[in-house]
Amino acid sequence: MLKSRTFLKKTRAGGVMKIVREHYLRDDIGCGASGCAACGGAHEGSVLEPQPLDRVSSLCPQPHYLLPDTNVLLHQIDVLEDPAIRNVIVLQTVLQEVRNRSAPVYKRIRDVTNNQEKHFYTFTNEHHRETYVEQLQGETSNDRNDRAIRVAAKWYNEHLKKMSAESQLRVIFITNDRKNKEKAVEEGIPAFTCEEYVKSLTANPELIDRLACLSEEGNEIESGKIIFSEHLPLSKLQQGIKSGTYFQGTFRASRENYLEATVWVHGDTEDNKEIILQGLKNLNRAIHEDIVAVELLPKNQWVAPSSVVLLDEGQNEDDMENEEERERILKTAVSEKMLKPTGRVVGIIRRNWRPYCGMLSKSDIKESRRHLFTPADKRIPRIRIETRQASTLEGQRIIVAIDGWPRNSRYPNGHFVKNLGEVGDKETETEVLLLEHDVPHQPFSQAVLSFLPKMPWSITEKDMKNREDLRHLCVCSVDPPGCTDIDDALHCRELENGNLEVGVHIADVSHFIRPGNALDQESARRGTTVYLCEKRIDMVPELLSSNLCSLRSNVDRLAFSCIWEMNHNAEILKTRFTKSVINSKASLTYAEAQMRIDSATMNDSITTSLRGLNKLAKILKKRRIENGALTLSSPEVRFHMDSETHDPIDLQTKELRETNSMVEEFMLLANISVAKKIHEEFSEHALLRKHPAPPPSNYEILVKATKSKNLEIKTDTAKALADSLDRADSPTFPYLNTLLRILATRCMMQAVYFCSGMDTDFHHYGLASPIYTHFTSPIRRYADIIVHRLLAVAIGADCTYPELTDKHKLADLCKNLNFRHKMAQYAQRASVAFHTQLFFKSKGIVSEEAYILFVRKNAIVVLIPKYGLEGTVFFEEKDKPKPRLTYDDEIPSLKIEDTVFHIFDKVKVKIMLDSSNLQHQKIRMSLVEPQIPGISVPTDTSNVDISEPERKKKKLQK
């Protein structure tokens, strides 16, 4: 049956266009109940159980299915995901509304409906002849959708009666909308609110904790005292932003001070790019990463960023007097030039809440169900939740979601979602680390895995089309030990004309991952492989990453080759790109390759090839550095794990060999060659990578630090910086140059992906290259897959597709890739920090030499070269007399009593694990040398136990 609607639309040119919308209605859409004779086999996908007896509800003892409305799906998704909730009918009307209102919830509901064990059935009520409803005149689309849901619920109950005479099967309508529920009951549909239904499931009391508390009024605490001003409605905010009264921006909370935040204003205005907010009332219930509207305060109320560290540790959750006292601490006397534009939040444009990991701070009130949850991320406020399982959740890492933040509550309200496991447990902490850094790490879905090649796999004639056979070449790979995802291999041979042929062969991942399919979408979402200390979160399934795409030795593999003809002075004479087939003759580690190069007895073809590559690489590196490329340093650490417990048993900085540099030189050269080629072909939509030059202010600390050591660093250009770093040497202090390079690294900007059609500055500052991209690691970076596709089209080896030449889509993709890379970096650092804690937990207390990297007002930040470990030595402690501190920002230096500390000074520190705060265990450092009475600690304090806060306090009071 066909329904059609006709309406007229005025065109831009002023004409009138007639539009006909056709809507097909069908008789053959199944109800989803297995065993329903009326529908026959018309069901598609997951089906409902014939007699659902898993849930016993005191409100409805008979077997039943659930039919939720849109708001239940949007706000109570945590309840619906619980294993106890099965046999649910999701209407097309509801699914469409959810899709329009929340992409994350839509994805979660799709995942649930794809899970066969949950028995969620999607019913296309909008195309079923008996459940389709037309919008009545004067009826809002919202009311029409509510009516459509009720019509479907009623149809289901009548339809299920026909299944069998004795069947008591019913459909229960779940809605939190009072009017909709009343209408449903009038129409004879069994209807309950989500809370009523969940509380009726007496066998599953834990489900109550997962209920989102929605009515903000109902959750206002008894005192009822209004703390915050009202948020303005969206229409007023948009008007205000348009007229310039308000500014729209991203709210960034401070890690160090819970009473302070900054708002990064959107748009190109240089003035007021960053607005400071201070005090609870001005923060006005905004949460980190929310999009907010801010009003600037008058200039006489502007403040300076505070240098005070304030953590929200109060036990009394609504002690506002204490808060006001703390806010007064922030307002220190500062000079006029330190003041920054200051404002207050007047409304929320978009909430960016996510589920938060953390720990429960159990209430002191006996039998209380209300407790505070402390998130692991210090930028997130504590959250009030109601739970009956507080005793079992103490000492556990849990996930909590925020539901709302009433005006008269000091903290937002939320609900318990999931228990992750015990604090300190390696699996639990890794899970927390991945969730907190938003690293997608669920196993690959069946939909994704279905696009993998069928095993056993072999190269076919079709695969050889547009591909060169390079299996005869002496190709080898050089990687870190234990590497299974081998992206790249190299070869070097002499040509008959006396020149050299050098090839970089990269795994042809884009052959296996075709544009737009589920595998491609998942790889694009993940963006990068994340390497933690003891595990790897792959961007692509293991069959590809460790097998079919990995360029292992002695097997045929598909590759994308970049081949140069060079003279012996490493000058490129010709460049060509081709898809190829290779057979690597050896998979070597950096140490094995180095051993071959240095060996006097080995002269086989692999070794000869490596020596040729190494010789050219040295010339390339020298030339690159002459052009102004920077050689920076960062103290990278490697853990040696116990083979059985996987605990770290040793910790040392990574050793770099010549062969590391050799591989790096050819990867850089390939990336630059490919960047030039794809930009020539696609000037508007090449995916490139740039590294912006840092603003001069970034270098202030480096310049001051070198000045204090009577050295000079020039920062006008990358070349000037590189040359002055080379010259900054001290015969009496050999480690100084490494420290300078580490400090210079901290001054740098982040390198980012961008689309060539959306930017004009392509320069890569660190590499001193006018153009650059990523081509050499497609197994672990999605950017490289796009670059492979662009290059394949450029050389005629593959066909294009619309998204590849859409610069706006490419710009969005770059935005996600930049975010994923940044998060992967943070997750890796967090993993190193956690394993360092485990190491010192078993190692006990140690004293080591360290160098000062930064001086602060009340602390020094030091680097311990032996462990590549950085930490802060504080000079002001609770319950201890305060020492005399004098801080000089110009030098910079910190005078403690009569001892002066400068950057790069050598000190001796004691390192131990402080477990007094279970949630935020940390490495604690104390000064041993130079000795300052009342500040320095003796070297041998092995009897100190810092695992319990109480015992720690007693020791301090002695």
Side-chain angles (χ1 to χ4, degrees):
M1 181 182 165
L2 185 68
K3 290 246 174 202
S4 65
R5 282 173 63 206
T6 308
F7 53 95
L8 303 173
K9 186 182 174 186
K10 197 174 179 184
T11 65
R12 275 187 179 176
V16 174
M17 191 161 75
K18 183 179 179 182
I19 294 177
V20 179
R21 284 267 162 86
E22 293 183 337
H23 190 89
Y24 290 89
L25 298 179
R26 295 165 52 175
D27 297 317
D28 58 350
I29 295 171
C31 69
S34 55
C36 173
C39 296
H43 317 305
E44 284 179 26
S46 171
V47 290
L48 304 157
E49 291 176 295
Q51 286 296 312
L53 297 168
D54 49 338
R55 289 185 310 266
V56 179
S57 163
S58 56
L59 290 172
C60 181
Q62 306 96 325
H64 55 269
Y65 302 139
L66 298 181
L67 192 150
D69 73 358
T70 309
N71 281 329
V72 170
L73 227 62
L74 277 170
H75 301 296
Q76 305 292 356
I77 181 73
D78 288 321
V79 171
L80 295 171
E81 281 177 336
D82 193 282
I85 302 292
R86 291 159 49 169
N87 295 297
V88 174
I89 298 158
V90 181
L91 297 180
Q92 180 190 1
T93 312
V94 170
L95 207 54
Q96 281 170 345
E97 271 198 279
V98 168
R99 187 178 191 170
N100 293 335
R101 285 168 64 181
S102 172
V105 173
Y106 178 72
K107 187 191 178 303
R108 284 169 73 180
I109 207 70
R110 294 299 305 180
D111 290 344
V112 174
T113 49
N114 290 334
N115 179 351
Q116 302 285 333
E117 290 170 12
K118 291 279 286 172
H119 300 285
F120 271 52
Y121 180 68
T122 309
F123 178 61
T124 15
N125 63 310
E126 296 289 353
H127 291 280
H128 192 292
R129 190 199 289 266
E130 291 178 44
T131 57
Y132 172 73
V133 299
E134 284 198 49
Q135 193 166 345
L136 303 174
Q137 208 169 350
E139 187 178 40
T140 65
S141 55
N142 210 16
D143 288 345
R144 180 257 166 214
N145 287 348
D146 284 348
R147 190 161 57 86
I149 296 167
R150 291 197 305 276
V151 165
K154 194 168 185 180
W155 174 85
Y156 253 107
N157 277 317
E158 285 165 5
H159 177 80
L160 292 175
K161 278 179 194 164
K162 297 175 195 167
M163 250 175 83
S164 66
E166 67 279 1
S167 169
Q168 290 185 307
L169 200 52
R170 306 170 75 183
V171 166
I172 293 180
F173 177 40
I174 305 290
T175 178
N176 287 332
D177 182 327
R178 194 165 44 86
K179 282 184 183 167
N180 206 7
K181 185 187 163 195
E182 284 167 5
K183 282 181 184 172
V185 173
E186 275 170 29
E187 291 167 21
I189 304 164
F192 303 109
T193 66
C194 193
E195 193 173 341
E196 285 169 348
Y197 181 75
V198 166
K199 285 182 176 173
S200 78
L201 301 176
T202 45
N204 302 92
E206 75 286 348
L207 262 181
I208 298 171
D209 286 353
R210 299 188 78 164
L211 275 171
C213 41
L214 294 178
S215 76
E216 299 214 332
E217 290 71 34
N219 285 293
E220 289 180 352
I221 40 171
E222 288 68 24
S223 71
K225 184 183 168 192
I226 300 291
I227 300 169
F228 300 103
S229 55
E230 202 170 343
H231 286 150
L232 298 178
L234 203 54
S235 54
K236 277 194 177 171
L237 296 178
Q238 283 163 341
Q239 275 173 3
I241 291 163
K242 214 170 180 181
S243 66
T245 319
Y246 306 139
F247 295 93
Q248 176 176 328
T250 306
F251 182 89
R252 300 265 164 85
S254 159
R255 281 178 204 277
E256 273 86 37
N257 186 343
Y258 75 100
L259 293 173
E260 187 170 281
T262 48
V263 170
W264 286 83
V265 177
H266 301 168
D268 302 322
T269 51
E270 269 313 304
D271 301 342
N272 310 328
K273 189 80 184 148
E274 193 184 31
I275 296 173
I276 285 193
L277 312 173
Q278 261 186 19
L280 276 181
K281 289 182 174 142
N282 291 338
L283 301 179
N284 198 3
R285 298 172 286 155
I287 290 170
H288 184 63
E289 292 292 341
D290 281 350
I291 307 297
V292 297
V294 176
E295 178 182 48
L296 270 186
L297 296 173
K299 276 201 173 176
N300 61 355
Q301 290 179 36
W302 284 15
V303 296
S306 97
S307 53
V308 185
V309 176
L310 275 183
L311 299 176
D312 184 8
E313 293 170 330
Q315 279 310 304
N316 183 351
E317 54 186 76
D318 294 289
D319 184 0
M320 285 309 292
E321 282 75 21
N322 189 21
E323 299 299 353
E324 282 156 21
E325 179 56 42
R326 289 187 131 197
E327 283 178 27
R328 280 195 284 278
I329 300 172
L330 299 184
K331 294 173 174 45
T332 48
V334 285
S335 65
E336 193 82 8
K337 65 172 187 176
M338 298 283 283
L339 298 176
K340 294 270 167 72
T342 308
R344 68 183 188 95
V345 170
V346 290
I348 309 288
I349 291 162
R350 193 176 77 238
R351 288 289 194 191
N352 267 333
W353 295 341
R354 59 180 175 84
Y356 300 104
C357 300
M359 289 178 71
L360 196 70
S361 310
K362 200 170 165 225
S363 171
D364 295 337
I365 304 163
K366 217 176 177 187
E367 302 297 314
S368 172
R369 284 203 217 140
R370 281 189 168 178
H371 308 275
L372 279 179
F373 161 83
T374 308
D377 186 340
K378 292 181 180 176
R379 295 167 300 190
I380 307 299
R382 297 201 281 174
I383 302 162
R384 186 193 290 111
I385 67 166
E386 280 197 33
T387 176
R388 291 154 183 74
Q389 0 172 17
S391 307
T392 51
L393 294 180
E394 246 191 321
Q396 304 281 307
R397 289 274 191 192
I398 63 173
I399 298 180
V400 161
I402 296 179
D403 300 323
W405 195 339
R407 287 175 60 197
N408 63 355
S409 169
R410 167 67 184 82
Y411 296 111
N413 292 325
H415 66 274
F416 167 77
V417 175
K418 189 180 174 186
N419 184 358
L420 294 173
E422 204 173 323
V423 171
D425 173 72
K426 209 177 309 163
E427 290 295 311
T428 305
E429 294 302 334
T430 304
E431 178 76 2
V432 168
L433 185 151
L434 293 168
L435 288 166
E436 281 299 292
H437 293 98
D438 199 5
V439 174
H441 60 285
Q442 298 75 20
F444 289 99
S445 69
Q446 276 312 116
V448 169
L449 299 174
S450 68
F451 285 97
L452 292 174
K454 303 288 171 277
M455 296 302 283
W457 175 84
S458 60
I459 296 170
T460 63
E461 238 173 83
K462 190 182 167 196
D463 294 335
M464 290 304 293
K465 199 182 165 205
N466 298 325
R467 212 174 269 281
E468 261 185 67
D469 192 338
L470 303 178
R471 284 176 281 201
H472 59 285
L473 292 176
C474 184
V475 172
C476 68
S477 64
V478 186
D479 289 282
C483 176
T484 59
D485 51 345
I486 303 170
D487 285 291
D488 53 88
L490 301 155
H491 89 271
C492 174
R493 64 172 180 168
E494 197 156 337
L495 298 170
E496 287 173 5
N497 62 8
N499 288 330
L500 296 168
E501 178 187 85
V502 175
V504 166
H505 310 278
I506 305 299
D508 188 6
V509 182
S510 63
H511 172 84
F512 296 96
I513 299 182
R514 302 310 295 162
N517 69 23
L519 175 56
D520 181 48
Q521 287 171 354
E522 182 60 19
S523 308
R525 187 173 80 92
R526 292 183 178 219
T528 178
T529 292
V530 181
Y531 294 90
L532 304 179
C533 291
E534 55 171 329
K535 71 191 280 187
R536 187 178 85 199
I537 314 294
D538 281 325
M539 180 183 83
V540 298
E542 197 176 6
L543 178 67
L544 296 182
S545 67
S546 297
N547 187 353
L548 302 185
C549 291
S550 185
L551 304 181
R552 306 190 307 193
S553 53
N554 305 314
V555 286
D556 292 351
R557 287 289 177 258
L558 301 180
F560 210 145
S561 302
C562 171
I563 300 167
W564 303 280
E565 186 179 325
M566 292 182 177
N567 60 23
H568 286 264
N569 198 24
E571 286 160 338
I572 298 170
L573 307 171
K574 274 187 205 157
T575 308
R576 69 188 182 90
F577 305 99
T578 177
K579 290 233 174 183
S580 61
V581 180
I582 63 163
N583 187 305
S584 171
K585 303 299 178 269
S587 302
L588 307 172
T589 64
Y590 290 118
E592 287 166 349
Q594 192 67 54
M595 193 184 71
R596 279 175 177 262
I597 290 167
D598 298 341
S599 165
T601 54
M602 295 182 85
N603 287 305
D604 58 287
S605 51
I606 293 171
T607 309
T608 312
S609 176
L610 285 170
R611 285 188 186 130
L613 289 164
N614 197 37
K615 194 175 153 194
L616 291 168
K618 285 178 180 174
I619 302 168
L620 287 168
K621 185 170 186 176
K622 186 168 177 280
R623 193 176 299 147
R624 211 164 48 78
I625 288 168
E626 280 167 4
N627 289 341
L630 296 171
T631 316
L632 298 175
S633 180
S634 67
E636 281 197 72
V637 292
R638 166 161 269 140
F639 291 95
H640 292 272
M641 300 291 188
D642 182 299
S643 57
E644 285 178 14
T645 63
H646 295 289
D647 282 339
I649 46 177
D650 196 11
L651 172 64
Q652 57 187 185
T653 47
K654 286 183 186 173
E655 188 186 341
L656 295 177
R657 295 181 170 83
E658 253 184 25
T659 43
N660 290 69
S661 182
M662 173 188 86
V663 173
E664 186 188 6
E665 284 310 314
F666 288 108
M667 296 306 117
L668 294 174
L669 195 61
N671 285 335
I672 291 167
S673 299
V674 171
K676 286 175 183 167
K677 178 71 179 172
I678 61 172
H679 185 245
E680 269 169 32
E681 288 292 324
F682 307 102
S683 59
E684 284 291 294
H685 38 256
L687 190 151
L688 302 174
R689 188 164 176 83
K690 67 171 180 176
H691 182 216
S697 59
N698 278 29
Y699 285 127
E700 268 177 25
I701 185 77
L702 182 67
V703 172
K704 284 177 182 175
T706 43
K707 210 172 171 185
S708 72
K709 289 282 176 258
N710 297 321
L711 294 166
E712 190 184 14
I713 288 279
K714 288 197 161 61
T715 59
D716 326 344
T717 62
K719 172 102 179 96
L721 176 63
D723 291 347
S724 51
L725 279 171
D726 288 340
R727 284 194 301 272
D729 236 338
S730 165
T732 56
F733 186 2
Y735 196 65
L736 176 67
N737 197 266
T738 308
L739 284 169
L740 282 171
R741 290 180 195 277
I742 289 170
L743 202 53
T745 309
R746 307 294 167 89
C747 303
M748 293 300 142
M749 305 290 281
Q750 190 85 33
V752 289
Y753 295 112
F754 69 101
C755 170
S756 59
M758 307 288 273
D759 214 321
T760 49
D761 173 26
F762 294 5
H763 192 76
H764 196 293
Y765 179 80
L767 297 172
S769 175
I771 192 165
Y772 191 67
T773 193
H774 272 164
F775 163 76
T776 54
S777 295
I779 296 177
R780 60 188 177 90
R781 289 188 306 230
Y782 188 76
D784 304 51
I785 294 179
I786 296 291
V787 169
H788 276 227
R789 288 174 182 168
L790 288 163
L791 185 61
V793 174
I795 64 166
D798 206 343
C799 48
T800 186
Y801 59 99
E803 280 81 7
L804 196 64
T805 52
D806 181 332
K807 64 181 183 182
H808 296 286
K809 288 238 168 83
L810 207 55
D812 287 342
L813 179 72
C814 288
K815 196 176 169 185
N816 178 54
L817 293 178
N818 290 330
F819 170 72
R820 292 290 178 211
H821 275 263
K822 188 170 73 177
M823 285 298 136
Q825 224 176 356
Y826 291 165
Q828 284 154 7
R829 283 182 206 163
S831 179
V832 168
F834 174 62
H835 280 79
T836 307
Q837 288 173 12
L838 287 181
F839 172 71
F840 282 106
K841 192 174 187 176
S842 58
K843 183 106 175 147
I845 297 168
V846 293
S847 294
E848 291 294 344
E849 280 184 353
Y851 293 98
I852 298 177
L853 276 184
F854 304 102
V855 290
R856 303 272 186 248
K857 285 185 178 173
N858 61 347
I860 54 172
V861 179
V862 298
L863 174 76
I864 298 156
K866 181 177 174 182
Y867 299 125
L869 178 66
E870 202 178 300
T872 308
V873 179
F874 287 100
F875 296 118
E876 287 181 333
E877 283 193 55
K878 266 187 197 168
D879 312 319
K880 270 196 175 181
K882 286 192 176 179
R884 200 170 67 248
L885 300 176
T886 317
Y887 174 69
D888 185 341
D889 187 34
E890 283 309 306
I891 302 177
S893 69
L894 178 66
K895 188 177 181 183
I896 303 158
E897 301 296 343
D898 298 316
T899 309
V900 182
F901 291 97
H902 296 96
I903 291 183
F904 304 146
D905 283 359
K906 192 175 179 179
V907 293
K908 194 171 188 183
V909 296
K910 188 183 75 181
I911 315 158
M912 58 180 162
L913 180 69
D914 180 353
S915 311
S916 56
N917 179 339
L918 265 181
Q919 168 102 301
H920 297 113
Q921 295 191 30
K922 55 180 181 282
I923 300 290
R924 194 164 133 173
M925 295 189 184
S926 324
L927 188 70
V928 175
E929 287 172 17
Q931 290 189 349
I932 306 170
I935 297 287
S936 301
V937 293
T939 315
D940 182 33
T941 45
S942 46
N943 60 342
V944 176
D945 180 359
I946 209 153
S947 59
E948 293 173 39
E950 282 309 307
R951 243 191 285 175
K952 182 179 122 189
K953 275 189 180 163
K954 283 177 193 159
K955 285 228 161 28
L956 290 171
Q957 287 159 5
K958 275 184 184 174

